Amino acid sequence: MKRLIIFLFTVLLIFSQAKASFAANIDVLPTMQSKSNVQDRVWVGTFQLVWNELMDKVAFGSVRFADGSPDIAVELNKKEFDITDISWKSYYKYLGKISKNTKKTIEKGILRKFNEKSDILDSLDWTPAPKRYVLYAMLKKEFEFSQPFDKLGTAPFRDMTAEYFGIDKQSDKSLGQSVNVLFYNSPNDFAVSLPTMSNDEVFIYKTSTTKPFNYIYADMLKKSENYTGKKEFQYIDELKVPNLKFFEEKEFNELTFMRIKGTQVMIDKAIESVKFEMNNKGVKLKSEAAITTALTSAEPNETETPRLFYFDDTFVVFLKEKEKSKPYFALRVYDISKFE
């Protein structure tokens, strides 16, 4: 009996540790300003789009809660990202009262616009009731690099391994035209941008900082502006970027079951999902967000040294449309095993 109890206790301990580890897999952040203790984290502007609708159509101003607003709401109320930061063809949004046909309306909308199905709609409560509204958005991007990079095979990523793409000594040197150097201060402090066949830009910055994405993005731009070295990818330079692929979903429970000040409405669900893939050919991104509400009871020079642009340790990826000033996606990669 004693052995059985010890065995069951051990199983429960292992399960709880595994569950905690899974919960802290890749943190989905609501804003670029959000802080997190999780090493691997991602932000997409999708949840901000539905929050903006909540501000404009439900709260008619900043969303404040009767019993005090959590930091996440204060950040979202700043509206640091909106529909002017991304082209209309890249997002779909919907706001409406929940009825028996609402879910079908959204499903038809995303199928018509993106030929996509939802990953989150089935998790929402579609029971009609007074003041029951759904605010939904999908952001989708799929584009190719200006030319495919070479597959470089497996190589170390810190104390792990990863599959890489890029440019090495055996690559056709014309591939270097597909890399723009933003700056190269050291093997651990550099950034590049990768041109695409679309209106999107891919920035990759090798840095170990744990500061919020908005600081990292501004820091990258400042270093690029101040860099006086060669911004052309040289004949002797090399590039290695790991393949990335993940799906993550998060519920923002700190926003739920509190009455929105000045109304009899509360948020009963706030959720966002992110599906992302980047390989030698290009990028695929699909993100969804939803809020539901309810009624409250209230050729080289021999003297030169090659620059090795190896993203083989912590780095950050930003995605931005060319004519826009702000990115619509940010990703920090620390534990590469979570992205394969």
Side-chain angles (χ1 to χ4, degrees), residues 83-90 141 198-201 203 217 320-328:
I83 58 173
T84 65
D85 296 310
I86 191 166
S87 59
W88 69 271
K89 64 182 179 180
S90 299
K141 287 285 187 178
S198 71
N199 196 38
D200 300 273
E201 298 178 291
F203 299 92
Y217 185 70
K320 183 186 78 67
E321 293 186 351
K322 291 177 183 177
E323 72 277 9
K324 308 296 183 182
S325 62
K326 300 174 184 177
Y328 58 81

Side-chain angles (χ1 to χ4, degrees), residues 180-192 203-211 214-231 307 314 316 318:
N180 297 320
V181 177
L182 300 183
F183 60 88
Y184 188 90
N185 297 326
S186 76
N188 292 308
D189 182 24
F190 59 82
V192 299
F203 299 92
I204 316 180
Y205 177 14
K206 189 174 185 180
T207 176
S208 60
T209 182
T210 58
K211 292 184 177 180
N214 64 325
Y215 172 89
I216 298 173
Y217 185 70
D219 181 57
M220 179 188 73
L221 296 183
K222 184 177 180 180
K223 286 182 177 179
S224 177
E225 184 180 349
N226 294 335
Y227 184 60
T228 59
K230 296 177 180 178
K231 290 205 168 185
R307 298 176 295 179
T314 309
V316 174
F318 294 103

Side-chain angles (χ1 to χ4, degrees), residues 53-279:
E53 291 289 281
L54 186 69
M55 291 177 64
D56 297 342
K57 309 290 175 58
V58 178
F60 301 103
S62 295
V63 178
R64 296 184 174 89
F65 297 98
D67 296 326
S69 300
D71 291 343
I72 178 177
V74 176
E75 292 173 358
L76 288 162
N77 284 336
K78 295 176 182 177
K79 271 189 177 181
E80 293 290 340
F81 181 88
D82 60 30
I83 58 173
T84 65
D85 296 310
I86 191 166
S87 59
W88 69 271
K89 64 182 179 180
S90 299
Y91 70 86
Y92 167 91
K93 59 188 180 77
Y94 176 92
L95 185 156
K97 194 171 183 179
I98 292 178
S99 70
K100 62 179 182 179
N101 294 319
T102 308
K103 182 169 177 280
K104 289 182 180 179
T105 299
I106 297 174
E107 288 173 332
K108 288 179 180 178
I110 59 177
L111 184 65
R112 187 183 305 113
K113 185 157 189 175
F114 297 129
N115 195 30
E116 282 287 354
K117 294 182 179 180
S118 172
D119 296 311
I120 68 171
L121 291 179
D122 286 342
S123 69
L124 305 181
D125 180 2
W126 296 99
T127 307
K131 300 295 183 182
R132 289 227 69 212
Y133 291 90
V134 60
L135 303 92
Y136 171 88
M138 176 182 282
L139 188 155
K140 186 180 180 190
K141 287 285 187 178
E142 189 168 337
F143 53 84
E144 297 179 350
F145 294 126
S146 55
Q147 55 182 320
F149 290 96
D150 288 345
K151 296 180 180 180
L152 302 182
T154 302
F157 185 95
R158 208 180 314 105
D159 55 350
M160 296 164 279
T161 58
E163 289 282 340
Y164 286 88
F165 67 87
I167 304 171
D168 63 11
K169 293 183 178 68
Q170 282 72 48
S171 298
D172 187 328
K173 295 310 173 183
S174 67
L175 270 178
Q177 299 173 15
S178 298
V179 182
N180 297 320
V181 177
L182 300 183
F183 60 88
Y184 188 90
N185 297 326
S186 76
N188 292 308
D189 182 24
F190 59 82
V192 299
S193 68
L194 308 181
T196 72
M197 298 288 284
S198 71
N199 196 38
D200 300 273
E201 298 178 291
V202 178
F203 299 92
I204 316 180
Y205 177 14
K206 189 174 185 180
T207 176
S208 60
T209 182
T210 58
K211 292 184 177 180
F213 284 130
N214 64 325
Y215 172 89
I216 298 173
Y217 185 70
D219 181 57
M220 179 188 73
L221 296 183
K222 184 177 180 180
K223 286 182 177 179
S224 177
E225 184 180 349
N226 294 335
Y227 184 60
T228 59
K230 296 177 180 178
K231 290 205 168 185
E232 298 78 19
F233 195 81
Q234 303 294 299
Y235 183 85
I236 55 174
D237 294 339
E238 296 184 21
L239 171 75
K240 288 203 312 185
V241 182
N243 292 336
L244 302 174
K245 184 177 183 180
F246 71 91
F247 174 81
E248 200 65 50
E249 184 176 288
K250 181 177 181 178
E251 294 189 31
F252 301 102
N253 294 321
E254 58 268 55
L255 295 171
T256 59
F257 305 114
M258 297 186 293
R259 182 172 62 85
I260 296 175
K261 200 171 183 178
T263 75
Q264 291 298 312
V265 174
M266 70 175 182
I267 297 171
D268 61 1
K269 189 154 184 121
I271 187 172
E272 183 176 11
S273 67
V274 184
K275 184 182 289 185
F276 179 78
E277 182 176 1
M278 182 169 74
N279 57 30

Side-chain angles (χ1 to χ4, degrees), residues 262-311:
T263 75
Q264 291 298 312
V265 174
M266 70 175 182
I267 297 171
D268 61 1
K269 189 154 184 121
I271 187 172
E272 183 176 11
S273 67
V274 184
K275 184 182 289 185
F276 179 78
E277 182 176 1
M278 182 169 74
N279 57 30
N280 69 307
K281 294 182 179 180
V283 168
K284 294 180 181 179
L285 167 67
K286 185 180 86 169
S287 175
E288 295 179 88
I291 291 174
T292 57
T293 67
L295 184 65
T296 59
S297 49
E299 237 154 265
N301 186 320
E302 292 181 359
T303 63
E304 291 185 300
T305 303
R307 298 176 295 179
L308 305 179
F309 296 88
Y310 291 178
F311 291 94

Side-chain angles (χ1 to χ4, degrees), residues 12-53:
L12 286 171
L13 181 62
I14 292 171
F15 177 77
S16 63
Q17 288 175 339
K19 188 175 181 181
S21 175
F22 178 78
N25 193 23
I26 301 167
D27 197 7
V28 180
L29 305 182
T31 72
M32 279 189 73
Q33 294 76 31
S34 300
K35 298 178 181 179
S36 176
N37 293 323
V38 180
Q39 290 280 9
D40 301 285
R41 60 193 79 143
V42 64
W43 166 81
V44 194
T46 327
F47 191 78
Q48 183 71 66
L49 293 182
V50 296
W51 187 268
N52 295 347
E53 291 289 281

